[in-house]
């Protein structure tokens, strides 16, 4: 199952990067970027998973004494949690810039922004 | 227990990849945004299967609600201001 | 054009090859690494929080969280700034959606209190069950989003949001300093009693910090949503009318 | 008790599958919304009931999930149907009447 | 509906939901629930709950129970019919958007009516304007507003009129 | 019990696949939104199945988030598409 999640995550990263690099429409570039973002999160969570163990929350099902032997690694989860929240902020920032560009130029197609051409 | 989780994980992974493919291949912006929302929906179920409920909760609230809203709102404004 | 596509596909192919090796050779550890094992073993006596993720975010890695909340604040400020400097063309200002129907408006009035209550539940139980300040803040912001969708004119004032945001940020710093004064260091939550393990009011200052983070994150998201929703032009229109 | 819970759970899952089938087979957007909403609502209701029989300690929270869903699911369907009508999504050829379009036509004139 | 009662009813509903969510009767949970429910009821003056506008007499409660029972029965009937329709290879649909009339004025009651119609046999509320409710019907039996009202609305309306009279 | 849970899981998977096919096919954007709605509701039951299989009641909180918030994405899309694509 870890391998499955890893492959899915990596495939999402590659698909997202491909979309972000080849699209000419700003909105769709940002959509592709969020897909790659999700892929990174999936990979990180998959790396923290250990087979046969359970969520790092101690309750009746997981007593404190057995915790170290029964739960999975909580550190990647804490990392991903904050990454998702920051990801929303980054998306909002990109959309704000896209909107600003649209108001300045009346277009969302990056081939109209010649000074950015490579 | 393992076969059930594996079956659901398989479905969810396939669904996420298909949704990503739709999001990148479609000609319509709205469909692309919906595809991204679906990717994060499936990712959220995958997080629960991978025993990360905290992450799943964040992804469910942010990925399919707030991010979709941001996109659709900006697109609505652009449509109103006469974009193509 | 097409050469560019081939170039990109080739580069991504190389990247995919590297990923393939990473994923194919990946073997999960048999046991937790020392850091995680330490966290799992000392959750009860050091933080008092059954949810290890919340314990890590708020106590052991509290400084990172403080930095992250700051980054989010900067993001919301920059979004507002970027949008404030450009004006809509004449006649095109106003919301991008058509007015909502009666059913959605009534449904919103009934759902908003429930969403707010659920956000409070997620925040308050952050140390016991999945949840915490970030998730609860996102739920609260979803409530704001529903209000914006049903009644585009129904907004919380920017001044109120800014005040909530800054007061909770200040409170966060003050709680951190209290940890420095009464416990072992900055953002140490053990200056309040740990209480009974697994109760709602336990785990030292963790629920307090959760509430502050939840309010701060909710206010920041709401600011971002409202900036993207209205912008400067429509507000001026209202003033003129 | 376990057998009863599993039976209810399976019945609910079957209704969810029927909802998926309805989404796939129905001829136009409105009928798809109908099939999707009804079947998935009852399917979720039955699944939660089955899970509640299997784990009685979770019953309150499961009931709350059903309650929220029964409230939000018809609401979103209604918004979608309204959007479909406003966006002039074509209706199936078997459609016999459209009172809303007539009313809007009168209002416009 | 008196306006002074509305926040109070909202507060009671929220407190009930809080206790169900937590699933515990510990005193600290109850006190936190009191504070949070009061804060929400105070901060959201436009908020409504199912209780708002409802008649809390014996007759109202009886009607509410009757409504729930009737609704659940209709939900099951709706699904069996929908299953028959979907599994039928010929797919005998006869869709129409018909106009029906409602006498209800309380917003909560109108919303409950529309939601109930959406979840019951073959019908889906599309738009509500004034006293006219536009309903999409998968297998339309009639297009006449009077007959459609009798077939679709009357069953629920009788109960809702008693509860939210 | 874990083996017996496979039967509902397979039925539920069938529903997921059919709704995903509708998402893939379209043809109108609103059809995709309807499929999205169906997928979110079916996912709630999938989450409850995972919770049953692993025996952790805390996963239900995630299902609650779905039940209360997942319709927001659908409503946003519907409100946008009201004005045409």
């Amino acid at each position: 199952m870890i391998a499955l999640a890893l492959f899915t995550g990596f495939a999402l990263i590659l698909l997202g990067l491909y979309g972000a690099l080849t699209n000419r429409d700003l909105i769709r570039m940002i959509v592709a970027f969020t897909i790659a973002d999700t892929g990174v999160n999936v990979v990180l969570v998959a790396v923290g998973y250990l087979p046969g163990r359970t969520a790092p929350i101690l309750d009746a099902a997981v007593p404190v004494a057995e915790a170290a032997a029964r739960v999975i690694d909580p550190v990647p989860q804490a990392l991903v949690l904050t990454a998702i929240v920051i990801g929303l902020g980054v998306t909002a920032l990109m959309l704000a810039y896209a909107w600003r560009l649209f108001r300045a130029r009346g277009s969302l197609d990056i081939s109209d922004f010649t000074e950015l051409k490579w | 227990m393992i076969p059930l989780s594996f079956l659901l994980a398989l479905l969810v992974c396939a669904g996420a990849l298909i949704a990503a493919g739709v999001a990148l291949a479609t000609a319509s912006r709205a469909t692309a945004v919906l595809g991204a929302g679906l990717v994060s929906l499936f990712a959220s179920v995958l997080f629960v299967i991978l025993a990360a409920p905290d992450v799943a909760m964040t992804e469910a609230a942010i990925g399919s609600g707030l991010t979709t809203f941001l996109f659709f709102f900006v697109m609505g404004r652009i449509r109103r201001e006469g974009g193509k | 054009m097409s050469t560019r596509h081939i170039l990109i596909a080739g580069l991504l192919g190389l990247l995919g090859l590297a990923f393939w090796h990473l994923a194919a050779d990946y073997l999960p550890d048999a046991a937790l690494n020392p850091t995680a094992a330490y966290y799992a073993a000392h959750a009860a006596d050091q933080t008092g929080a059954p949810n290890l993720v919340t314990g890590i975010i708020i106590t052991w890695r509290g400084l990172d969280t403080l930095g992250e909340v700051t980054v989010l604040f900067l993001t919301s400020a920059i979004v507002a700034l970027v949008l404030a400097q450009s004006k809509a063309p004449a006649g095109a200002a106003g919301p991008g959606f058509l007015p909502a129907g009666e059913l959605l408006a009534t449904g919103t009035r009934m759902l908003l209190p429930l969403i707010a209550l659920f956000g409070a539940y997620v925040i308050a139980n952050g140390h016991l069950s999945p949840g915490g300040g970030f998730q609860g803040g996102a739920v609260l912001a979803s409530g704001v989003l529903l209000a914006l969708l049903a009644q585009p004119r129904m907004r919380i004032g920017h001044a109120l949001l800014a005040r909530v945001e800054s007061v909770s940020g200040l409170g966060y710093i003050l709680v951190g300093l209290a940890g420095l004064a009464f416990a072992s260091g900055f953002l140490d939550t053990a200056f309040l009693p740990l209480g009974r393990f697994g109760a709602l009011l336990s785990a030292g200052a963790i629920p307090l910090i959760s509430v502050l983070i939840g309010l701060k994150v909710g206010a920041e998201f709401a600011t971002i949503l409202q900036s993207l929703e209205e912008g400067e032009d429509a507000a001026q229109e209202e003033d003129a009318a | 008790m376990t057998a009863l819970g599993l039976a209810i759970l399976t019945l609910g899952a079957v209704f969810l599958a029927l909802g998926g089938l309805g989404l796939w087979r129905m001829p136009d957007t409105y009928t798809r919304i109908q099939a999707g909403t009804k079947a998935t609502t009852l399917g979720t209701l039955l699944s939660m009931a089955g899970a509640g029989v299997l784990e009685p300690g979770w019953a309150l929270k499961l009931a709350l999930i059903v309650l929220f869903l029964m409230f939000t699911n018809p609401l979103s369907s209604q918004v979608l149907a309204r959007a479909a009508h406003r966006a002039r999504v074509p209706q199936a050829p078997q459609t016999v009447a459209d009172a809303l379009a007539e009313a809007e036509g009168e209002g416009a004139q | 509906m008196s306006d002074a009662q509305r926040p109070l009813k909202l507060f009671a509903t929220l407190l009930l939901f809080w206790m169900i969510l937590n699933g515990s009767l510990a005193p600290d949970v109850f006190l936190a629930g009191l504070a949070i429910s009061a804060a929400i009821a105070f901060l959201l003056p436009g908020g409504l709950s199912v209780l708002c506008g409802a008649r809390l007499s014996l007759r109202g409660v009886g009607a509410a129970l009757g409504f729930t029972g009737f609704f659940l029965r209709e939900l099951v009937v709706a699904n069996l019919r929908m299953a028959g329709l979907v599994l039928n290879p010929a797919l005998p649909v006869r869709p129409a958007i018909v106009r029906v009339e409602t006498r209800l004025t309380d917003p909560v009651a109108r919303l409950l009516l529309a939601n109930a119609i959406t979840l019951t046999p073959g019908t889906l509320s599309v738009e509500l304007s004034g006293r006219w409710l536009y309903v999409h019907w998968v297998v339309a039996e009639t297009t006449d507003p009077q007959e459609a009202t009798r077939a679709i609305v009357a069953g629920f309306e009788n109960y809702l009129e008693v509860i939210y009279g | 019990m874990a083996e017996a849970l496979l039967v509902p899981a397979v039925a539920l998977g069938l529903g997921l696949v059919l709704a995903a096919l509708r998402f893939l096919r379209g043809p109108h954007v609103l059809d995709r939104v309807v499929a999205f709605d169906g997928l979110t509701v079916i996912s709630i039951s999938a989450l409850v199945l995972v919770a049953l299989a692993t025996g952790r009641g805390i996963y239900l909180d995630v299902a609650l988030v779905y039940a209360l918030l997942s319709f927001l994405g659908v409503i946003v899309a519907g409100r946008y598409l009201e004005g045409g694509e």
Side-chain angles (χ1 to χ4, degrees):
Chain A
M1 201 152 66
I2 296 184
L4 190 64
L6 276 180
F7 281 120
T8 311
F10 282 135
L12 284 179
I13 296 176
L14 289 177
L15 279 173
L17 281 182
Y18 181 77
L21 288 174
T22 54
N23 264 318
R24 311 212 66 86
D25 182 71
L26 274 176
I27 298 272
R28 296 165 52 120
M29 284 169 75
I30 302 172
V31 168
F33 182 85
T34 59
I35 290 175
D37 195 18
T38 313
V40 174
N41 294 338
V42 170
V43 169
L44 277 175
V45 170
V47 166
Y49 183 74
L50 301 176
R53 294 189 175 212
T54 184
I57 297 171
L58 316 179
D59 59 359
V62 183
V64 180
E66 302 173 16
R70 296 258 327 262
V71 301
I72 66 167
D73 194 348
V75 182
Q77 293 191 19
L79 201 69
V80 171
L81 193 67
T82 50
I84 293 174
V85 176
I86 290 294
L88 178 68
V90 172
T91 310
L93 203 54
M94 287 194 289
L95 279 170
Y97 276 117
W99 189 8
R100 186 84 194 278
L101 272 174
F102 174 77
R103 275 194 176 164
R105 304 291 179 80
S107 163
L108 280 173
D109 192 337
I110 50 164
S111 41
D112 290 353
F113 307 127
T114 42
E115 58 270 43
L116 297 176
K117 202 148 190 158
W118 56 291
Chain B
M1 177 198 292
I2 298 302
L4 180 123
S5 299
F6 188 77
L7 175 73
L8 283 179
L10 199 68
L11 280 173
V12 161
C13 287
L17 289 179
I18 290 174
V22 171
L24 296 182
T26 175
S28 137
R29 267 183 209 154
T31 308
V33 176
L34 281 176
L38 207 51
V39 168
S40 85
L41 180 90
F42 283 132
S44 160
V45 179
L46 187 62
F47 288 147
V48 172
I49 296 173
L50 290 177
D54 282 282
V55 183
M57 201 181 235
T58 321
E59 182 80 46
I62 289 182
S64 60
L66 293 176
T67 312
T68 317
F69 171 79
L70 291 181
F71 278 111
F72 275 120
F73 197 79
V74 170
M75 279 155 61
R77 292 304 294 257
I78 284 169
R79 179 175 67 191
R80 194 184 161 90
E81 289 173 17
K84 52 184 175 182
Chain C
M1 174 81 184
S2 68
T3 47
R4 214 184 64 145
H5 278 230
I6 292 168
L7 189 70
I8 290 170
L11 280 174
L12 287 181
L14 284 178
L15 192 60
L17 210 62
F19 283 164
W20 179 270
H21 279 291
L22 275 178
D25 299 341
Y26 181 76
L27 272 181
D29 299 336
L32 288 181
N33 57 42
T35 320
Y38 176 85
Y39 288 157
H42 294 279
D45 56 324
Q46 284 197 3
T47 65
N51 185 344
L52 297 185
V53 179
T54 305
I56 289 175
I57 284 185
I58 290 181
T59 304
W60 284 310
R61 291 274 173 269
L63 210 56
D64 299 359
T65 308
L66 186 62
E68 197 213 328
V69 172
T70 315
V71 169
L72 208 58
F73 166 68
L74 285 178
T75 314
S76 76
I78 293 173
V79 168
L81 198 69
V82 165
L83 294 179
Q85 286 181 355
S86 73
K87 300 276 185 285
F97 291 163
L98 302 171
E102 183 203 326
L103 289 174
L104 183 58
T106 313
T108 302
R109 286 175 68 188
M110 290 177 72
L111 275 172
L112 259 185
L114 286 181
I115 291 182
L117 183 83
F118 186 64
Y121 165 78
V122 168
I123 293 175
N125 283 278
H127 54 298
L128 305 177
S129 60
F134 288 107
Q135 291 93 327
V139 173
L140 290 181
S142 302
V144 174
L145 146 60
L146 184 59
L148 288 178
L149 271 181
Q151 288 142 330
R153 290 286 162 209
M154 181 174 151
R155 294 187 293 151
I156 309 170
H158 277 286
L160 178 66
L161 282 180
R163 205 170 302 147
V164 169
E165 201 276 329
S166 52
V167 166
S168 50
L170 190 68
Y172 192 9
I173 306 268
L174 286 180
V175 173
L177 289 177
L180 192 61
F182 303 111
S184 60
F186 189 62
L187 283 174
D188 187 349
T189 53
F191 67 89
L192 291 177
L194 287 187
R196 190 171 57 79
F197 189 69
L200 183 65
L201 295 179
S202 67
I206 287 184
L208 185 62
I209 296 184
S210 281
V211 169
L212 293 174
I213 292 181
L215 284 178
K216 195 166 159 64
V217 170
E220 279 155 359
F221 279 167
T223 311
I224 291 179
L225 291 174
Q226 290 200 351
S227 306
L228 281 172
E229 199 260 349
E230 284 289 351
E232 202 64 7
D233 41 82
Q236 283 176 357
E237 213 175 43
E238 264 175 55
D239 290 346
Chain D
M1 211 55 181
T2 311
L4 178 70
L6 278 174
I8 300 177
L9 193 61
T10 311
L11 193 66
V14 167
F15 270 111
L16 289 177
L18 279 177
L21 190 66
L23 279 178
W24 176 242
R25 281 205 66 200
M26 282 294 185
D28 69 350
T29 309
Y30 306 91
T31 45
R32 277 173 209 144
I33 297 174
Q34 292 230 22
T37 313
K38 289 191 232 307
T40 53
T41 307
L42 184 69
T44 312
L45 176 70
L46 288 176
S47 305
M48 301 299 148
V53 171
L54 287 175
E55 294 270 353
W58 300 357
L60 280 178
K61 222 167 239 188
L62 292 168
L64 216 53
I65 294 177
V66 171
L67 213 62
F68 285 156
L69 196 77
M70 294 252 252
F71 197 83
T72 58
N73 210 8
L75 199 60
S76 63
S77 300
Q78 186 267 331
V79 171
L80 278 183
R82 185 170 178 264
H85 202 269
R86 291 219 171 165
R88 309 249 181 284
V89 176
Q91 305 187 0
Q94 298 98 316
T95 306
V96 290
D98 188 349
L100 183 54
E102 286 166 22
E104 277 172 358
E106 281 166 22
Q109 278 155 17
Chain E
M1 168 169 67
S2 68
D3 271 328
Q5 257 183 355
R6 209 175 62 190
L8 212 62
K9 285 179 171 173
L10 179 62
F11 168 76
T13 321
L14 289 177
L15 191 60
L16 181 71
F17 272 104
W18 173 265
M19 299 314 281
I20 296 177
L21 264 175
N22 280 283
S24 118
L25 287 170
D28 55 346
V29 173
F30 184 71
L31 286 178
L34 274 183
I36 289 171
S37 310
I40 293 173
F42 177 73
L43 287 176
L44 292 173
L48 288 174
S49 81
V50 192
L51 289 182
C52 294
R55 200 181 294 166
L56 291 177
S57 62
L58 202 61
R59 199 156 150 259
V61 175
L65 288 178
F67 176 75
T68 313
F70 184 67
F71 169 72
L72 286 179
R73 208 195 69 201
E74 290 283 295
L75 183 62
V76 174
V77 171
N79 275 280
L80 292 180
R81 260 194 230 171
M82 187 55 76
L85 196 63
V86 167
L87 292 175
N88 187 336
L91 207 65
V93 296
R94 193 167 173 275
I97 295 181
V98 297
R99 188 162 75 154
V100 296
E101 194 178 356
T102 174
R103 297 187 300 265
L104 299 171
T105 51
D106 186 79
V108 179
R110 287 157 73 93
L111 180 69
L112 285 182
L113 178 70
N115 276 3
I117 285 175
T118 300
L119 288 177
T120 46
T123 50
L124 166 72
S125 337
V126 178
E127 177 109 67
L128 178 67
S129 68
R131 63 201 176 93
W132 296 112
L133 179 62
Y134 296 89
V135 173
H136 183 266
W137 208 349
V138 170
V139 189
E141 292 151 19
T142 170
T143 53
D144 178 60
Q146 301 294 325
E147 283 178 42
T149 303
R150 221 171 300 131
I152 297 175
V153 179
F156 294 114
E157 209 176 43
N158 290 338
Y159 291 110
L160 285 172
E161 255 190 335
V162 177
I163 308 174
Y164 295 96
Chain F
M1 190 177 95
E3 287 76 25
L5 280 178
L6 266 181
V7 183
V10 168
L12 197 135
L14 193 68
L16 273 180
V17 168
L18 284 166
L21 280 177
R22 176 50 69 195
F23 184 82
L24 200 61
R25 173 109 172 258
H28 195 277
V29 191
L30 272 164
D31 289 316
R32 298 183 204 264
V33 185
V34 175
F36 185 94
D37 193 16
L39 283 169
T40 53
V41 179
I42 297 177
S43 306
I44 296 176
S45 293
L47 288 179
V48 173
L49 273 185
V50 174
L52 278 175
T54 51
R56 300 297 306 265
I58 46 172
Y59 292 172
L60 293 184
D61 282 11
V62 185
L64 264 173
V65 173
Y66 266 71
L68 199 53
L69 296 184
S70 69
F71 86 114
L72 277 178
V74 177
I75 286 194
V76 175
R79 300 271 290 120
Y80 170 76
L81 293 169
E82 265 179 2
E85 199 183 329

